[in-house]
């Protein structure tokens, strides 16, 4: 073949290719594969199997309810300082372990019950639907409501009363776990803010030497700090109790005491007042000998120890509580009861 004939054949090749492509039908690269044929589950054709699944779902929801009750019982019954050994974790708080285990079971069994219900009792027929605009037309809204009603009917929610009622019970009890935990927002004070470690017959112990105090140990114009007999820094609740029971003693000349009750509650001019400021609870430790005033270093509240511990300056709201004291048969100073009123800052129970 000559070169001229080859050139003519190459010129006709694109036309032949175009004619061939026009005859061959185009293939759709995104053809709809369709849905596989629906296979019925055992529960769809056997009512006994469906009832077994319903009982399984009800059992899971019932376990959730029991776990929630166990959560509340563990929270109430187990002490916070009890520890147990759990392999392979080691020693952990019994309360934390019980709360985590029971709450985890309660939540897991609700989820497991819902999944088992959906997989065995609800309809599993796949339905293909065309996409529609975001704004629903009245026809679409009507169809959605109709589909919802159909789905609710096929789910067996109305017919499977055992599963439905136990689901309601589990969902109603689980929130109680969160409500119970609100208790940890803070312990209720009860009446413990009204009472301290002071009681009738308890001797006054020097806070520095831990020795019982005699009247002759306290000089006129001096400031001495004391605590109740029987307390020690080794006790686990020492800081909590000393914050209420801390006492300061001052010896005045009896003729300088202006308040009659203060004089009656004193012993040979020795008066005992709470060391805790009635503003925000700071410890008072500054004493002015000539005026008989004590000053709180935090916000400068000033109290007159010769006039019932009343406030003469600063933000404190009321006088310092006084402790009635006397000397016992052995010559030691002792309390005749608790403070006259709750110590420290004012609170709502003060009345």
């Amino acid at each position: 073949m000559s070169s001229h004939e080859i050139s003519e054949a190459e010129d006709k090749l694109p036309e032949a290719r175009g004619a061939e492509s026009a005859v061959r039908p185009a293939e759709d690269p995104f053809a709809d594969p369709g849905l596989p044929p629906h296979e019925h589950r055992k529960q769809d054709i056997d009512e006994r199997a469906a009832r077994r699944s319903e009982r399984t779902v009800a059992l899971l929801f019932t376990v959730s309810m029991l776990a929630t009750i166990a959560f509340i019982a563990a929270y109430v019954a187990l002490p916070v300082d009890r520890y147990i050994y759990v392999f392979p974790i080691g020693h952990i708080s019994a309360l934390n372990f019980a709360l985590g285990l029971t709450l985890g079971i309660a939540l897991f069994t609700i989820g497991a019950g819902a999944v088992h219900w959906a997989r065995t009792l609800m309809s599993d027929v796949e339905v293909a639907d065309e996409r529609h605009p975001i704004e629903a037309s009245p026809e679409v809204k009507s169809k959605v409501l109709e589909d919802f009603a159909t789905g609710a009917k096929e789910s067996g929610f109305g017919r499977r009363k055992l599963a439905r009622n136990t689901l309601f019970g589990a969902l109603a009890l689980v929130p109680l776990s969160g409500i119970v935990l609100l208790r940890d927002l803070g312990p209720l004070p009860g009446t413990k803010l009204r009472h301290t470690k002071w009681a009738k017959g308890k001797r006054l112990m020097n806070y520095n030497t831990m020795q019982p105090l005699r009247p002759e140990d306290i000089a006129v114009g001096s400031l001495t700090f004391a605590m109740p007999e029987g307390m020690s820094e080794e006790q686990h609740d020492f800081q909590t109790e000393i914050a209420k029971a801390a006492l300061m003693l001052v010896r005045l000349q009896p003729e300088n005491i202006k308040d009659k009750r203060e004089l009656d509650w004193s012993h040979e001019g020795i008066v005992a007042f709470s060391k805790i400021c009635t503003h925000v609870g700071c410890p008072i430790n500054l004493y002015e000998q000539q005026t008989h005033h004590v000053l709180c270093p935090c916000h400068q509240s000033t109290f007159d120890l010769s006039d019932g511990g009343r406030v003469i300056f600063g933000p404190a709201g009321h006088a310092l509580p006084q402790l009635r004291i006397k000397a016992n048969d052995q010559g030691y100073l002792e309390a005749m009861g608790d403070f006259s009123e709750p110590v420290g800052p004012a609170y709502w129970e003060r009345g």
Side-chain angles (χ1 to χ4, degrees):
M1 182 182 290
S2 64
S3 60
H4 178 70
E5 291 174 345
I6 294 175
S7 177
E8 289 181 355
E10 291 177 349
D11 291 340
K12 293 178 180 180
L13 184 60
E15 296 178 0
R17 290 178 178 172
E20 182 182 354
S21 63
V23 175
R24 183 185 302 170
E27 296 181 359
D28 186 0
F30 302 105
D32 185 358
L35 295 175
H38 177 257
E39 296 182 3
H40 291 286
R41 301 165 301 184
K42 187 175 182 180
Q43 291 83 358
D44 297 332
I45 58 179
D46 187 354
E47 182 60 24
R48 294 177 60 185
R51 289 182 180 177
R52 283 197 300 270
S53 294
E54 182 181 8
R55 288 193 293 269
T56 302
V57 171
L59 175 62
L60 289 170
F61 291 153
T62 302
V63 170
S64 175
M65 290 187 282
L66 295 176
T68 300
I69 295 173
F71 177 95
I72 298 174
Y75 184 87
V76 174
L78 294 179
V80 296
D81 57 349
R82 180 180 177 184
Y83 287 83
I84 59 174
Y85 180 80
V86 178
F87 179 82
I89 302 175
H91 288 88
I92 60 175
S93 169
L95 178 60
N96 290 346
F97 179 76
L99 294 182
L101 181 63
T102 53
L103 184 59
I105 293 175
L107 296 177
F108 174 79
T109 48
I110 284 182
V115 170
H116 192 66
W117 188 346
R119 292 180 64 87
T120 61
L121 296 177
M122 293 184 181
S123 174
D124 67 337
V125 178
E126 297 184 9
V127 179
D129 198 0
E130 297 293 334
R131 292 188 178 183
H132 53 79
I134 296 178
E135 182 180 2
S137 63
E139 293 79 8
V140 172
K141 292 180 181 179
S142 176
K143 186 176 183 303
V144 169
L145 295 177
E146 181 180 350
D147 292 344
F148 179 81
T150 302
K153 182 178 179 181
E154 293 178 348
S155 69
F157 196 79
R159 187 162 59 95
R160 307 291 179 182
K161 295 183 179 180
L162 179 61
R164 180 191 63 196
N165 294 339
T166 51
L167 171 64
F168 287 157
L171 292 178
L173 285 180
V174 162
L176 293 180
S177 303
I179 296 175
V180 170
L181 291 178
L182 294 177
R183 178 68 171 77
D184 280 340
L185 290 177
L188 298 177
T191 60
K192 65 183 181 181
L193 296 181
R194 291 185 175 274
H195 308 290
T196 70
K197 288 291 187 179
W198 290 109
K200 185 176 181 179
K202 283 203 171 185
R203 294 185 299 179
L204 279 61
M205 310 296 290
N206 189 301
Y207 190 87
N208 296 318
T209 65
M210 300 301 295
Q211 298 299 316
L213 287 167
R214 296 178 179 270
E216 55 268 24
D217 296 333
I218 304 174
V220 175
S222 65
L223 180 66
T224 304
F225 299 122
M227 59 188 291
E229 183 180 15
M231 290 185 63
S232 67
E233 295 183 355
E234 288 74 24
Q235 296 172 343
H236 74 278
D237 61 345
F238 175 78
Q239 296 299 333
T240 300
E241 295 301 331
I242 197 62
K244 296 185 295 181
L247 190 71
M248 57 182 177
L249 302 169
V250 174
R251 189 165 199 160
L252 308 174
Q253 297 294 346
E255 59 271 16
N256 292 333
I257 300 177
K258 306 172 188 177
D259 184 78
K260 183 179 184 304
R261 193 187 76 163
E262 178 182 353
L263 180 62
D264 294 339
W265 284 22
S266 67
H267 176 76
E268 298 178 357
I270 301 174
V271 294
F273 286 94
S274 170
K275 186 184 176 182
I276 309 304
C277 179
T278 57
H279 177 217
V280 294
C282 295
I284 299 172
N285 51 23
L286 300 176
Y287 176 61
E288 209 288 313
Q289 186 179 32
Q290 283 72 32
T291 61
H292 314 302
H293 295 169
V294 288
L295 176 70
C296 175
C298 292
H299 304 95
Q300 286 71 55
S301 292
T302 306
F303 305 87
D304 188 352
L305 297 189
S306 66
D307 192 10
R310 69 182 181 90
V311 183
I312 60 175
F313 179 79
H318 55 275
L320 293 172
Q322 185 179 0
L323 184 71
R324 190 174 184 180
I325 60 174
K326 70 172 186 177
N328 61 20
D329 296 339
Q330 290 77 34
Y332 294 107
L333 292 173
E334 67 177 29
M336 298 182 67
D338 204 347
F339 284 105
S340 57
E341 61 182 347
V343 302
Y347 62 99
W348 61 93
E349 287 93 348
R350 187 178 294 278

